[in-house]
Amino acid sequence: YRLLARFYRIEADEEMLEQLTQMKFPQDCPREMAEGYKLLQAAVSTRDDKMLENLAVDYARVFLGAGIINFDAAYPYESVYLSEKKLIMQEPRDEVVTFYRSCGVDRSHELSEPEDHIAFELEFMAYLCGEAAEFARQGNVAKMQQSLNRQQEFLQKHLLKWQERFCNDVLKYAGTDFYRGAARITGSYLAMEGALLNDEAMSA
C-alpha cells in the first residue's frame, strides 16, 4: 500500500527510481498485476538523464491536469469520481474524514491536499494493515479481526467504488510506461485485496 501511495503522492524522484531498480518484482501474481510490474520494470531499467523530467511532466499532466483542456485527466480524489459536481472537497471527502477519525486517525497540519486523495486513502490502508499485524503479534485476535473488518469496510465504501475508473483514466492519459504500470498494479492489487478480505470476513 505504501508503494502504491508513493506513486500518486508526488512525482517520482531519484530515490524512488533507485529503490524500484533494486526491487525484485513478484512473479506469481494476477495477470494484470504482472503486466503492471513488467511495464514498471522496463521503465526503470531503461532510465536515462531525462527520465525524471519526463515523469514529472507526465505526473503533472495526468494527475494535475497541467496543460490539458476540458478537464481530461485522472484527478486523484474520491470526490471527483463519486460526487455529482465532480469537484474536490465534496461529500465523499467528508465521509473519508469521518472514517479516519473513527479509527483514531486525524489530519496532519502538514497536509496540503484533501483527505480523499488516493495516496492518503492507500496510506490509511497501510496503517490498518500495520495495526492488524501488531495485534496479531500480541495474540489479540479480537482486535486483529476488528482491524481487518475496518480494512474491508474502507475498501468497499471508498477505494473500490472509484479506483477502477481512476486507474482506467491513468491508463488513458499517461504517456509513460511508469504510470501505466503503476495503474495496472494498483487496480489489480486493490481488487485482489477486496476479494481476500471478503473471504476472510465470510470465514470469521
Side-chain angles (χ1 to χ4, degrees):
Y1 279 115
R2 290 195 176 96
L3 172 63
L4 298 181
R6 177 61 185 85
F7 286 129
Y8 307 111
R9 190 187 313 115
I10 55 173
E11 62 268 22
D13 57 18
E14 186 64 38
E15 181 182 1
M16 184 183 190
L17 294 185
E18 184 60 31
Q19 289 174 346
L20 289 171
T21 300
Q22 298 177 17
M23 181 177 170
K24 290 186 177 181
F25 294 94
Q27 301 296 318
D28 184 18
C29 56
R31 187 176 68 175
E32 183 75 2
M33 193 183 300
E35 288 297 322
Y37 282 128
K38 287 179 182 178
L39 288 172
L40 195 61
Q41 188 171 34
V44 299
S45 65
T46 58
R47 61 180 171 143
D48 55 28
D49 293 341
K50 291 186 176 182
M51 185 173 184
L52 284 176
E53 180 182 348
N54 291 339
L55 290 179
V57 169
D58 205 28
Y59 182 95
R61 179 177 63 242
V62 176
F63 304 115
L64 306 178
I68 291 181
I69 59 175
N70 299 326
F71 301 99
D72 290 334
Y75 297 104
Y77 307 99
E78 183 174 332
S79 290
V80 171
Y81 283 87
L82 296 186
S83 67
E84 184 178 348
K85 295 181 179 180
K86 308 299 181 185
L87 299 172
I88 64 171
M89 300 295 287
Q90 302 299 302
E91 185 176 350
R93 174 262 176 192
D94 298 338
E95 293 172 354
V96 164
V97 170
T98 298
F99 199 106
Y100 291 166
R101 289 176 177 168
S102 74
C103 298
V105 176
D106 210 342
R107 179 186 178 94
S108 168
H109 294 299
E110 298 177 358
L111 289 183
S112 59
E113 296 280 2
E115 293 88 341
D116 62 342
H117 191 290
I118 192 168
F120 300 153
E121 294 195 5
L122 291 166
E123 286 171 349
F124 177 65
M125 287 297 295
Y127 165 80
L128 292 178
C129 287
E131 180 185 72
E134 178 59 22
F135 286 136
R137 187 189 67 78
Q138 296 172 4
N140 193 331
V141 176
K143 287 288 188 180
M144 180 192 71
Q145 188 59 54
Q146 181 183 56
S147 186
L148 291 173
N149 291 342
R150 286 173 172 171
Q151 291 177 46
Q152 182 203 26
E153 183 180 1
F154 190 75
L155 276 174
Q156 296 298 331
K157 288 186 174 180
H158 296 286
L159 274 166
L160 292 181
K161 281 190 173 182
W162 68 286
Q163 66 85 19
E164 183 175 2
R165 281 178 285 167
F166 168 75
C167 289
N168 285 339
D169 280 346
V170 177
L171 290 170
K172 180 179 179 181
Y173 299 118
T176 60
D177 282 345
F178 184 90
Y179 285 114
R180 283 192 286 264
R184 289 185 182 277
I185 295 166
T186 302
S188 181
Y189 183 78
L190 290 176
M192 181 181 70
E193 278 285 282
L196 288 173
L197 288 169
N198 282 341
D199 290 344
E200 173 68 25
M202 292 178 65
S203 62

